[in-house]
Amino acid sequence: MEFSLKDKAITLFCENKEVIFQDNPAEVIRARESAFRKFKQLGFPTKKMEEWRNTNLSDILSRNHHFNFEAPKEDIDIEKIFQCEVPNFDTHIVSLYNGWYVSRDKPLETLPNGTIVGSFARALKEYPELVLKHYNKYCKNELNGLNALNTAFAQDGVFIYVPDNVGAYKPIQIVNILDKGNNLFVQNRNLIIVGKNSKLSFLHCDDSRNHEASFSNTVTEVFIDEGASVDHYKLQNLNDKTTLINSTFFQQEKDSQLSSFAITLNGGIVRNDSHVLLNNKGIDSNIYGLYLVDKEQHVDNRVFVDHASPNCTSNELFKGILDDQGSAAFNGHVLVRRDAQQTNACQTNRNILLTDKAKAHAKPFLEIYADDVKCSHGATVGQLDDEALFYIKSRGISEYNAKLLLMYAFAAEVVNKISLPALKSRIDDLVKKRLRGELAVCSQCVLHCQSQEQVYDFKIDMSKL
Amino acid sequence: MLKIENLHVSINGKEIIKGLNLQVNAGEVHAIMGPNGTGKSTLASVIAGKEGYDITDGHITYLDKDLFQFSTEERALEGIFLGFQYPVEIPGVSMTNFMRTAINEHRKHKGLDPLSAGDFLALMEEKRKLVEIKDKLKNRAVNEGFSGGEKKKNEIFQMAMLEPKLAILDETDSGLDIDALRVVANGVNKLRSKDNASIVITHYQRLLDYIVPDFVHVLYEGKIVKTGGKELALQLEEKGYEWLG
């Protein structure tokens, strides 16, 4: 009989219930059981589904992946395998190793501004009321089987709680390291709660440590309370054999602000799903993406913005450069509900194809039921501008550098929106390296390239752009 | 310096230049005039190395070498500069970085080290004043949001930066008011020397009041039909081009 990962997952869930449910409050167990039924019904996404038509998981899912239900016994010395080397970038690092929180035996930490950070599994024990108020409230298990599977299975992840009315502390950097994968199916669940009028910057880095295949299915729920402000950066630098499904569900409350970036520098198949519910008035929501794709890599960004309230602004800008046989998809869906008057929504996806074999699919989509709104959408797929190339070359700049200049300028529109200066300059370096073909997958984090940007003819000073 | 012999150029099978001859020596300024659609801009583009043109006959030598063996950027490095009729906007690429990359490529070609940031900025400042370009423009993206006059001044600024041997100015005067025209002409005149040459392509005699040419050529239906001194320009202004046909 043909192997079915769905059947395997179903069997494993039934066999390992005791371990999965261990120490879980009754609400969590109910949520898992319900999501499990949903998964049985939905199965894994297929190309027959409109929202997955450009991303084919069937080959990957036909492999016999294995699941770990027990955290690794041996202590992981995270400092040995990961050191963030972004110059002058001071973050508070929390790590996941194959989906398990590193040092999960330790109690949750309280940072100087009162922010609580730690293992999601541990938070369920220490702060059950706080967690249960938000857990599984934003994730859409009915949306696809992967989300449901995550709810049913995921045992650990990162928990962050920022209390009301606190200013920014250091950015919190979640590092999800995949190691010794060999078809490991990793699932983690993150919950981020940002209190009223508070600020949080957090990074969500997905990295491979070696070249073994693995499948990472992550769900992150983010609640942004009234007047709060969140900067979110997904940085993805995985090996070519890794599949990453990264689903983030945001709920924003009155007058809150969000900037979320999905920066994909490398990966096998990467799917970023961002769901944003604008739940009250005066919200500002910015969803940005930058993907640099080559070889046979595939990057799929899906964004759903639900304008459920009036006077909100949402802005999507996704840009991609595709080389070799790389492919990308963008699916943007903005829903403006009947009461969401005075909505301002903008969707943009631009792609540059460097070869005949590279492919980009763009589907910007607006669904509007209110009448007093300002919405725009646009998508382009094209080559570098020949007129601009000729102009640059006519000044004596080589074809190679002329193309670099144009590609770099194209990417810079997204990079320039990064508000943490040290991160911006690092991403800027990495984009340059990537465009010059110097950056294959790092053995470690995307932010962990040992070699600094070298002095080079092609020197761009971001501050001047 | 530049020698064009029996040049024939087609675009998509349509012949635009039909046997053109021209010789430009160091120290000379040549004006090429003629009505619309006679091949003036095609000639400029072909010399600069733009793609999309079929050279069906003839040849061009530049500094005694076959010009067609060089790519666009090699021609630029060998000292050819094209001032564009319609300068291209390049969003995201700042003027500073654009020029710094260009200057350093020229220096590399001459076997020189890249210019330091300080020296480069000083050079920019010097040349910027020459063409009376506003300071803020250098921090903006190349030509993006520049007015028509600013774009043309920016062409002359780039020319001043790169110090070409042979400058071809394609209708640099079109769309300029009299003040901008004076600035542009002044920039060109300051860069004139016995070692370099210019080809000034224009519709109107007006520019030639400011940039006094050694020769005026009339390009008509793909050929140079008349060559004379600067007084020819005045005749053309008076009589138009019809009498030459």
Side-chain angles (χ1 to χ4, degrees), chain A residues 193-255:
Chain A
I193 304 161
V194 185
K196 287 178 183 151
N197 307 312
S198 292
K199 280 186 175 24
L200 173 70
S201 288
F202 76 105
L203 291 79
H204 190 167
C205 309
D206 278 289
D207 302 277
S208 309
R209 275 210 73 213
N210 51 41
H211 290 270
E212 289 176 32
S214 44
F215 193 114
S216 179
N217 178 33
T218 299
V219 169
T220 304
E221 295 181 280
V222 185
F223 177 75
I224 307 172
D225 212 338
E226 278 182 36
S229 169
V230 170
D231 273 356
H232 171 231
Y233 302 92
K234 289 192 277 192
L235 307 172
Q236 298 158 342
N237 197 28
L238 295 155
N239 70 40
D240 297 345
K241 292 178 189 150
T242 294
T243 303
L244 170 67
I245 312 293
N246 193 327
S247 304
T248 312
F249 297 87
F250 298 97
Q251 178 163 321
Q252 287 189 253
E253 295 299 329
K254 195 177 170 196
D255 298 326

Side-chain angles (χ1 to χ4, degrees), chain A residues 286-333:
Chain A
N286 301 287
I287 316 295
Y288 303 121
L290 175 66
Y291 41 98
L292 308 177
V293 182
D294 66 1
K295 287 167 276 188
E296 290 179 340
Q297 301 181 31
H298 178 77
V299 176
D300 180 349
N301 283 293
R302 182 180 172 280
V303 183
F304 176 68
V305 179
D306 186 348
H307 277 268
S309 305
N311 297 98
C312 295
T313 298
S314 72
N315 179 28
E316 292 165 40
L317 176 65
F318 281 75
K319 297 187 100 173
I321 300 174
L322 296 103
D323 203 348
D324 301 332
Q325 296 171 58
S327 56
F330 172 79
N331 256 295
H333 182 175

Side-chain angles (χ1 to χ4, degrees), chain B residues 77-128:
Chain B
L77 294 173
E78 291 296 331
I80 292 180
F81 179 89
L82 173 63
F84 281 59
Q85 183 177 4
Y86 304 109
V88 183
E89 296 193 9
I90 311 176
V93 177
S94 81
M95 268 313 293
T96 305
N97 287 313
F98 176 53
M99 270 296 104
R100 191 165 174 201
T101 310
I103 288 279
N104 283 338
E105 295 247 22
H106 280 259
R107 291 180 65 89
K108 194 167 128 195
H109 184 70
K110 290 176 188 148
L112 299 170
D113 287 336
L115 217 51
S116 74
D119 289 348
F120 172 76
L121 288 174
L123 179 69
M124 259 191 76
E125 194 55 21
E126 178 200 329
K127 304 294 187 184
R128 180 180 72 73

